[in-house]
Each structure stands twice: as C-alpha cells, then as structure tokens.
Amino acid sequence: MSTLELNYQNVLQRLQQACTQNNRPAQSVRLLAVSKTKPAAMVEAVYALGQRSFGENYLQDGMDKITALSHLTDIEWHFIGPLQSNKTRPVAEHFQWVETVDRDKIARRLSEQRPAGLPALNVLVQVNISAEEQKAGVLPAEAHALCTLVSELPNLCLRGLMCIPEATGNEERLRTQLEAMQALYQQLAAEFPAMDTLSMGMSGDLELAIACGSTEIRIGTDIFGARDYPANN
C-alpha cells in the first residue's frame, strides 16, 4: 500500500470512528480532500481510491488541475480559498462549489457569471465564528442577511455554512466556537430548506467537529503530505 493510500485510509478510519462515537452514520459526513498545491497525478491517485470531492485554495493551481483532470467527469471541485472579486469568473465557470462567500459583491458576481448551461453553483457562506479581525467571513449576526441574498440569486444554491475556528490549543474554547456554529447552522437551516452542509473541522479537530455536528471535514496534509507553495496564484 502506498503512503498516499495509507494516509487516505487512516483519515477515513478516523472519520468513521468519530461518527460511530457520536451515533452518526458515516455517510452523514463528507470528506473533502484538500488538494491545494499538490499535482494532478496525486489527485487522480486519490480519486482512484474512491474520493470524489476535492478542495482548492489557489485559483490558478486549481484551474490547472481541473484542465488536466477533465476526463474525470464525476470529480467535484470545491473552491475553499479567499476569493477576490476580479477572480470570480473562472470559479463560477469551472467549480461546482464555493465555500468562502463572505460578502454581497462576491455572491452577485458568481451568480451573474455562472454559465447558463450549468447547474446552480453550490455556495457556503463563510462565518468568522471567532470574530478575529484578520480572518475572512461574516460575523454570526450578519450571516442571515448574506444567506438571504444568496438564496435569492438565480444561479446560486445556498447549501450551508463554513468556518475556520480560532487556532487554539484550548479544547473548550474551540468546542464553544464549534457549538456556536452548529447552533447558527441549525437556526438558518430551519429557514433555508436547501441548506444541508456545515463545513468545519480539519486534521487537528476532526473528532471534535464531528461531535459538534459538522457534515464536511476538510483534510489536506494528513492525506497528501506537507503542502508545496505554488509560485503564482
């Protein structure tokens, strides 16, 4: 078994164990393999193991892989990086999901630029649950307004919320933030019926995130190894 396959199977095992411990079916949590900076050949190798959803942080890096792997017709590309308004068009044209919508302008541009022949673009609203000044995302109190806008735009489908909680070694502090996200998600999902995704949890907090209701775990290094930094993005 290759290192890549071993890594992938270990992550799947952790996910399944966390679901079992929290009385959740394993299929209730999607694994998003964060393939940023890794070559298309590695993505295809993980695809061959059964993985279909891949997350990209860097637009040009992601576009190169989408082009190289266009023969994999059921692969699902998620854009999970910060999105500038002048770079929305290729995301609208080539990705199936955008997980980092945090302002009206980005949402409107994605809707306007989504090609007519494609299904609606799946959108997660990014929430700054830790209220850190340097962090992207709307504050929890602002999430309802942005969700309302996304739900009304013609070429977008509001699927849920995403967060990157505070990088803290204090598990109770982290739990408080994840539980706050779960409560916000439940509140909004009651109003917006298409919402079915709460994306939170990475390698270090996978188990806690699943305990707090996450439906999507974003894992990069624990599958692909340490990241490489692309020259241009």
Side-chain angles (χ1 to χ4, degrees):
M1 186 180 294
S2 69
T3 300
L4 189 61
E5 182 174 0
L6 185 60
N7 289 349
Y8 181 66
Q9 296 300 336
N10 285 342
V11 168
L12 287 181
Q13 186 174 25
R14 283 180 65 194
L15 189 155
Q16 291 163 357
Q17 287 176 343
C19 287
T20 299
Q21 290 167 359
N22 291 282
N23 298 310
R24 297 182 59 185
Q27 62 268 29
S28 69
V29 181
R30 171 173 54 213
L31 171 61
L32 183 66
V34 178
S35 43
K36 61 182 178 182
T37 78
K38 294 301 178 180
M42 289 186 75
V43 174
E44 188 160 16
V46 177
Y47 174 94
L49 299 175
Q51 180 66 24
R52 292 296 179 268
S53 301
F54 294 87
E56 290 290 327
N57 285 60
Y58 304 113
L59 181 55
Q60 189 56 55
D61 183 41
M63 289 301 303
D64 290 345
K65 275 174 269 192
I66 289 172
T67 300
L69 300 175
S70 59
H71 57 287
L72 305 178
T73 56
D74 61 343
I75 199 167
E76 185 178 82
W77 295 103
H78 295 232
F79 190 79
I80 61 171
L83 186 54
Q84 300 168 355
S85 58
N86 65 340
K87 294 185 177 180
T88 53
R89 184 175 295 278
V91 172
E93 291 176 345
H94 297 284
F95 285 77
Q96 288 81 44
W97 288 72
V98 181
E99 302 200 2
T100 47
V101 172
D102 62 357
R103 54 195 187 278
D104 291 5
K105 182 179 182 180
I106 295 294
R108 294 183 190 279
R109 287 177 68 86
L110 288 170
S111 180
E112 291 166 1
Q113 295 168 346
R114 184 69 170 172
L118 294 180
L121 183 63
N122 297 298
V123 166
L124 300 185
V125 167
Q126 183 173 356
V127 178
N128 183 0
I129 196 62
S130 54
E132 295 172 81
E133 289 186 8
Q134 78 281 10
K135 189 166 283 184
V138 296
L139 293 173
E142 302 166 345
H144 182 273
L146 185 52
C147 285
T148 299
L149 173 68
V150 170
S151 71
E152 293 172 349
L153 288 170
N155 298 313
L156 305 183
C157 181
L158 176 65
R159 294 294 297 271
L161 305 178
M162 182 274 256
C163 78
I164 304 171
E166 183 180 358
T168 174
N170 185 326
E171 184 170 317
E172 283 311 305
R173 188 178 178 89
L174 180 58
R175 180 184 292 274
T176 297
Q177 293 175 19
L178 296 178
E179 288 178 344
M181 273 299 296
Q182 182 182 28
L184 179 63
Y185 169 75
Q186 290 173 338
Q187 172 190 339
L188 292 170
E191 181 174 347
F192 301 101
M195 284 182 61
D196 59 3
T197 302
L198 176 56
S199 177
M200 61 184 191
M202 295 180 278
S203 298
D205 58 1
L206 179 161
E207 288 80 6
L208 183 57
I210 289 176
C212 293
S214 175
T215 70
E216 180 186 86
I217 301 293
R218 308 184 302 270
I219 305 291
T221 302
D222 279 9
I223 296 175
F224 292 100
R227 75 179 69 173
D228 307 309
Y229 288 90
N232 297 298
N233 290 296

